[in-house]
Amino acid sequence: MTTDLFSLSGRVALVTGASRGLGLAMAEALARHGAHVVINGRNEASLETAAAPLRAAGLSVETLAVDVGDGPATRAAIDALAGRHGRLDILICNAGIQHRKPLPEWEMQDWERIIHINLSSCFAMAQAAARHMVARRSGRIIMTGSGMSVLARPTVHGYVAAKSGLWGLTRSLAAELGPQGVNVNCIAPGFFKTELNEAILANPEFVAWVEGRTPLKRWAEPAEIGGAAVFLAAAAGSYVNGHLLAVDGGLISVV
Ligand code: GCO
């Protein structure tokens, strides 16, 4: 075992939904610990904007513009990436979307879109990545779940269902891939100051409710997710498998 429990030197990582928010924060943390990081998003220009300061800081970052909702394109991109680098060590399935509406206003297509992006795409990506990881009997798959993987609140029906499903998928993948050398875990973020949460951050009552409900009494900064990703990706997390790691200021531990 390496002497540096948190070194990712020589590893190749793919982080989806990484042009901003938690994905970008996790990508940066992995890169700062020595990984070559492929940041994924739908828009090449946004990815380049995100990559520029990281590269300027001397980090090893590559962009990959592909819509995770497009299964065949994503699979082809993962195969090409693993082929080009000869390995894929770390996959963080982080891309996610939100839809907040009272139940009567939900259309089936909203539900399907949320489930497709937040859950089904993660299954497809994990399947594609696992093939390369299992071939080398080594790999780490990390899902961005949510406090909503185990809790709920009104209006976010698709999100709660998808994030709960992602935690279930984490366990079934951990069960099947563990024997083949691949660890699969799920990070459960609490309330972070990200673009996904712009609408609820603009609501002072909701902001105050989160502060009151969270034992640390504040929202999280995106950078505060980085440590959990590095831990689960590095030697430090070698015996951690099928775990839900809450990064939530204590949110899910209290009523
Ligand atoms: C929401 C938010 C969620 C939360 C997070 C809490 O509307 O509930 O958008 O994304 O921030 O998942 O754990």
Side-chain angles (χ1 to χ4, degrees):
M1 203 192 242
T2 165
T3 48
D4 185 345
L5 287 173
F6 295 97
S7 171
L8 295 172
S9 174
R11 314 276 169 80
V12 173
L14 169 60
V15 185
T16 72
S19 57
R20 57 186 187 227
L22 300 187
L24 181 56
M26 289 191 280
E28 176 169 352
L30 298 184
R32 286 198 183 279
H33 283 259
H36 172 74
V37 181
V38 182
I39 59 171
N40 156 263
R42 274 172 296 185
N43 184 289
E44 184 59 47
S46 311
L47 288 169
E48 284 303 327
T49 305
L54 304 184
R55 288 188 183 129
L59 305 179
S60 184
V61 175
E62 174 186 334
T63 62
L64 173 64
V66 63
D67 182 350
V68 297
D70 182 341
T74 311
R75 262 189 289 275
I78 287 180
D79 289 348
L81 164 65
R84 199 160 63 245
H85 292 283
R87 60 197 295 158
L88 174 59
D89 301 286
I90 301 153
L91 168 67
I92 304 190
C93 290
N94 170 77
I97 53 175
Q98 182 58 287
H99 186 74
R100 304 178 185 94
K101 284 274 191 271
L103 184 60
E105 292 171 36
W106 273 75
E107 304 282 350
M108 271 322 279
Q109 66 201 43
D110 299 324
W111 169 265
E112 276 154 16
R113 189 167 42 88
I114 299 284
I115 299 295
H116 182 62
I117 298 297
N118 291 6
L119 178 58
S120 305
S121 81
C122 300
F123 172 76
M125 293 201 81
Q127 186 185 40
R131 206 165 60 82
H132 301 286
M133 293 174 174
V134 165
R136 300 180 60 245
R137 295 197 67 80
S138 166
R140 303 288 172 88
I141 297 175
I142 300 165
M143 304 296 185
T144 299
S146 165
M148 301 298 150
S149 293
V150 290
L151 298 174
R153 66 182 199 84
T155 73
V156 291
H157 307 289
Y159 190 85
V160 171
K163 294 296 189 181
S164 301
L166 207 47
W167 167 219
L169 176 64
T170 300
R171 301 197 304 276
S172 63
L173 290 174
E176 185 160 335
L177 296 177
Q180 303 176 77
V182 179
N183 303 30
V184 187
N185 292 289
C186 186
I187 297 177
F191 287 91
F192 277 71
K193 293 181 197 162
T194 62
E195 248 178 65
L196 180 88
N197 286 334
E198 236 167 30
I200 52 179
L201 279 163
N203 175 346
E205 266 172 38
F206 191 82
V207 168
W209 177 80
V210 169
E211 287 165 358
R213 169 78 167 76
T214 305
L216 288 187
K217 298 296 169 204
R218 62 177 178 85
W219 288 62
E221 299 295 334
E224 297 188 272
I225 201 78
V230 171
F231 167 63
L232 292 175
S238 58
Y239 203 64
V240 180
N241 190 32
H243 181 60
L244 185 76
L245 177 51
V247 182
D248 68 346
L251 181 81
I252 67 173
S253 298
V254 298
V255 288

